[in-house]
Structures are given as C-alpha cells and as structure tokens.
Amino acid sequence: MKKLRVAAIQMCSKRDRDSNLESASNLMRQAVKDGAELIALPENFSFIGSESEKIKMGEDYTHGPSVNFLKKFAMEHGVAIVGGSIPLKTSSRSKVTNTCIVFDTRGRAVGRYDKLHLFDVSLNDENTFRESKYIKPGNSAVTVELFGHIMGLSICYDLRFPELYRVLTSRGAEILFVPSAFTLLTGKDHWESLLRARAIENQSYVVAPAQYGRHSSGRISYGRTMIIDPWGQILSQCQDKEDFITCEIDFEFLGDIRKRLPCLKHIRKKVFVLD
C-alpha cells in the first residue's frame, strides 16, 4: 500500500463512559464517511475522572464496554483502530494499566501497548499529578503491522522521551501514534514543538489525537490534535472542539525523505545501543 487515509479524533471526555463512547462513535462514523481506513482515538477516550476512579473503570483485555465498542466498530466498518487508551485490570486491585489496543479491519486485537512513562509531576499548586499511584507502567516498546506497514505506539507523556521513538523507528515504524491528554499548561508551550521534533528526527509521520477542554474532573486538556509529515510539517490540526481530521499518509514520500536525507542510516549504533 503506497497511501493510507488516517483519521485522528479529538474529544472532551468526561466521567460518563456511555456518553463518551457515543461521542466517539459519532466522530468515527464521520471519519469513515471521509474515507478513513485507520482511525486513532485520544488517551482516556472512554473515561476521564480522577486517577482513583480509573480502578473501578478497569476492563479486561478481551472484553469490556470500551474494548467491545472498538472491536465491533472495526468489524462493522472495516477500518483499523488505534484505540487511544483504556484502563485495564491488573493482578492488583489498586492499579490498572493505561493501555492502547490496536484492532485490524476484521476487529482482531493485533497489538497492546501499556504506557511506559507515568505522569508524576508538580507543575504548580493547582497542577499536581501522580499517575503512578493508580497506574502500573508497561515495560516494553511496541510496534504493530497494519496494511503492510509498521506503526509505533506511545501515549501522551511518552512524547518527552525521544529514546522510545528511536527504538520504534529502529524496528521499522513509519507512523508514530501519540494519543494524548496533554495539560493546558504544558500543551501551549510544548505540544507542537515535541510532536514536530519526533517527526523530524525519526523521519516518520506522527498522528496525535488529543483530548481538549475542561473535563468533569476539573482537569483542562490542551487539544490541538495534529497529523505531521516526516519533514515536520503540520498536515492538519483540530481547533477547540470535538472534531476529527483526516490526512493521506504517503509512504513513497516518506521513503523519499529517508533516501535523500539518510539520517537513520547515519546513527552510530555502536555508540548508542538500540534494538
């Protein structure tokens, strides 16, 4: 496949899972009508509340309201889905994972990524987060193959760790997904810069579906869902509303960039240990 039409969904999710799934479905259906073959959702698309509330919202990897919703939608519409993130149960009753599940066009789960880097920060008195208190981190980088191409998975805070994306690219990733719920405070200064940097340094497309606006938990997300090409140019971007964008991923263009400016071949692998 030389080209792939990808959609990125922007949401303002709240505590009501059913309402969030309905909103996601409406936007995804519009994306399908716009020709999307792969749809990417934002982090925590089916639920945003306090971190402690995620425990009771935890689902099983093979079933649950959000998991079943994604599986059914992929099957019915014949599209692949990068499922943002969902809280999944763990062996501990006090922690869940923050997990992105990828479904192919037949509704089969073909990949699972558990968020590696947890958001434990104190930006100011009003913006203190301790994700690790209720979230169990993953322990591996994950790529999946869809439509004959390799996709690299990450979630939100992972964006600040370029070594993850270098590993994903070393494994053949051509599209890097960054489903997010970036805070307003950090997003306005860092979101675009970090996304464009990851695209440029890895010569990859970056698809970043995001949460926006004020959530029922009181948290405010920055939004500005983007799709960026391997040259670092923003192909499309959402404004401040629930919406979606679609773009054509051109793998020939990506290959040409990597051929004309072969940075990835110039990595000193004996100095920097990569997979």
Side-chain angles (χ1 to χ4, degrees), residues 61-134:
Y61 175 57
T62 56
H63 66 274
S66 307
V67 175
N68 290 339
F69 162 76
L70 295 175
K71 183 186 305 183
K72 182 179 179 182
F73 192 97
M75 291 175 60
E76 289 183 349
H77 296 275
V79 295
I81 299 175
V82 176
S85 76
I86 300 167
L88 294 186
K89 295 177 181 177
T90 69
S91 57
S92 169
R93 292 184 178 180
S94 61
K95 289 192 176 184
V96 292
T97 57
N98 190 350
T99 299
C100 178
I101 307 176
V102 179
F103 295 86
D104 68 11
T105 57
R106 296 172 62 182
R108 299 176 300 186
V110 294
R112 167 182 174 163
Y113 169 69
D114 296 338
K115 188 176 182 180
L116 281 172
H117 302 96
L118 302 185
F119 195 50
D120 288 1
V121 302
S122 297
L123 301 175
N124 55 38
D125 291 342
E126 297 178 353
N127 289 272
T128 297
F129 305 89
R130 290 291 179 269
E131 195 174 25
S132 65
K133 188 174 181 180
Y134 301 102

Side-chain angles (χ1 to χ4, degrees), residues 20 65 95 129 135 155 162 168 248:
N20 294 330
K95 289 192 176 184
F129 305 89
I135 304 295
I155 298 173
L168 295 172
E248 196 167 66

Side-chain angles (χ1 to χ4, degrees), residues 49-61:
S50 67
E51 294 298 334
S52 60
E53 289 178 301
K54 287 183 180 178
I55 304 301
K56 65 180 180 180
M57 303 301 290
E59 302 183 27
D60 292 322
Y61 175 57

Side-chain angles (χ1 to χ4, degrees), residues 205-226:
Y205 283 94
V206 170
V207 179
Q211 294 282 349
Y212 96 98
R214 185 179 295 274
H215 308 286
S216 54
S217 62
R219 174 173 175 156
I220 304 175
S221 293
Y222 179 64
R224 306 300 169 90
T225 289
M226 295 183 194

